[in-house]
Amino acid sequence: MFILVPFVYTFVLVFQDGSLLGDFRFVGLANFATILSDSLFLSTLKNTLLFLVILVPLTMTVPLAVGVLLSSKLAGLRFYRSLIYLPSLLSIVATGLIWRVLVDPQSGPLNLFFQRVLDIEVPWLSNGTFAIFFIAVITMWSSLGFNSIIFMAGLNDIPDELVEAARIDGAGMWRTFWSIKLPLLRPVMQFVLILTTIASVQVFDVIFVMTKGGPGTATYTAMWYIYQNVFNGGSVGYAATMSVILLLLTLVISAFYLRATRSDGRGRG
């Protein structure tokens, strides 16, 4: 009821035109034709893909490095695990509000530190490209604990016998990581990749809280544009059409990930 019915109804709406107030009418493939000539939607797709390109490497490197540290024999490891996981306990809306206060141009502590101590003027949210990069960093930070714990669990699941055998053969720490641990983490990395892709394509909350699509339309993402069409007097059918396009885009990217990282001898693995 809560998953299948709305999913199927979305594909019904793509052939309709009408607002939230109702009064729908059948328009056939007109919504798809409109998308092809909608330069703003194409711009939102570019911004969404840029966000994806920034977020994926961040999510695959920083949490992995933290997961490696958390799986080692550090003193006070339980405290560090709890500390790293704290950002994941905050909602993305609360996270966005916190960071917006920190980088406020007039009174933000982080912004004042860069201005007065380092003498650097950082365009946190006033420059479109930098704003997308900054929002991607915040998104990575908010999920750092969750993804780090996943990587840590994957590393702890690697048999100690394989690591010991590599060390006996003379492999150092880095050689052991690249040749033994990283290949065995492939299923975990695929899982994180797909989750990150979905989060990137669906990014909305932090945009709503921090930039509302600005400056101008520089941080207009696809989900933000869909929201504008639904709740600001646009066509629900057109918004549903954009949602279907995003679904197909997510499936294509996820299929590429799975093909590129599989280990059956035909992919790169």
Side-chain angles (χ1 to χ4, degrees), residues 2 10 116 122 143 150 194 227 254:
F2 294 106
T10 300
R116 298 178 181 179
V122 182
S143 61
I150 290 178
I194 292 175
Y227 168 82
S254 299

Side-chain angles (χ1 to χ4, degrees), residues 5-255:
V5 172
F7 181 78
V8 173
Y9 189 56
T10 300
F11 286 87
V12 175
L13 286 174
V14 299
F15 303 106
Q16 308 287 327
D17 182 39
S19 67
L20 284 177
L21 299 178
D23 193 24
F24 288 99
R25 60 187 180 88
F26 182 78
V27 295
L29 299 176
N31 287 324
F32 289 97
T34 302
I35 278 184
L36 294 177
S37 59
D38 188 348
S39 59
L40 182 55
F41 177 67
L42 297 178
S43 178
T44 65
L45 279 184
K46 184 185 74 172
N47 293 338
T48 302
L49 290 175
L50 176 60
F51 183 82
L52 172 67
V53 168
I54 297 172
L55 183 60
V56 167
L58 286 174
T59 303
M60 297 308 297
T61 53
V62 179
L64 177 58
V66 174
V68 171
L69 292 175
L70 294 180
S71 64
S72 61
K73 297 179 180 179
L74 292 174
L77 193 56
R78 291 184 179 179
F79 170 76
Y80 292 129
R81 288 175 180 174
S82 301
L83 186 65
I84 289 296
Y85 199 76
L86 281 178
S88 297
L89 299 179
L90 296 173
S91 70
I92 191 63
V93 173
T95 299
L97 289 173
I98 291 172
W99 281 98
R100 185 174 180 178
V101 170
L102 286 174
V103 300
D104 182 85
Q106 304 301 325
S107 59
L110 188 60
N111 188 59
L112 293 177
F113 172 79
F114 273 86
Q115 283 182 343
R116 298 178 181 179
V117 179
L118 302 180
D119 195 26
I120 299 175
E121 193 75 28
V122 182
W124 302 103
L125 301 175
S126 59
N127 177 276
T129 303
F130 193 91
I132 290 179
F133 176 81
F134 183 54
I135 292 171
V137 171
I138 293 173
T139 305
M140 181 277 297
W141 178 82
S142 68
S143 61
L144 177 62
F146 177 77
N147 289 325
S148 297
I149 294 298
I150 290 178
F151 281 124
M152 182 196 70
L155 289 165
N156 289 340
D157 198 42
I158 296 175
D160 293 334
E161 294 81 3
L162 294 177
V163 177
E164 290 298 327
R167 290 175 179 172
I168 291 173
D169 289 340
M173 180 180 65
W174 286 106
R175 181 66 176 175
T176 301
F177 176 77
W178 287 108
S179 299
I180 303 297
K181 293 184 178 182
L182 198 60
L184 293 175
L185 277 178
R186 183 178 287 109
V188 177
M189 296 177 70
Q190 288 177 337
F191 176 71
V192 175
L193 269 173
I194 292 175
L195 285 185
T196 304
T197 299
I198 294 172
S200 300
V201 173
Q202 295 182 349
V203 60
F204 168 79
D205 310 61
V206 69
I207 298 291
F208 179 83
V209 171
M210 298 193 70
T211 66
K212 296 190 182 302
T217 59
T219 58
Y220 252 61
T221 58
M223 285 301 297
W224 175 257
Y225 191 35
I226 291 172
Y227 168 82
Q228 293 294 324
N229 270 271
V230 173
F231 294 101
N232 286 336
S235 170
V236 176
Y238 188 57
T241 306
M242 289 188 286
S243 300
V244 171
I245 298 296
L246 284 184
L247 170 64
L248 296 176
L249 179 64
T250 305
L251 291 175
V252 169
I253 296 174
S254 299

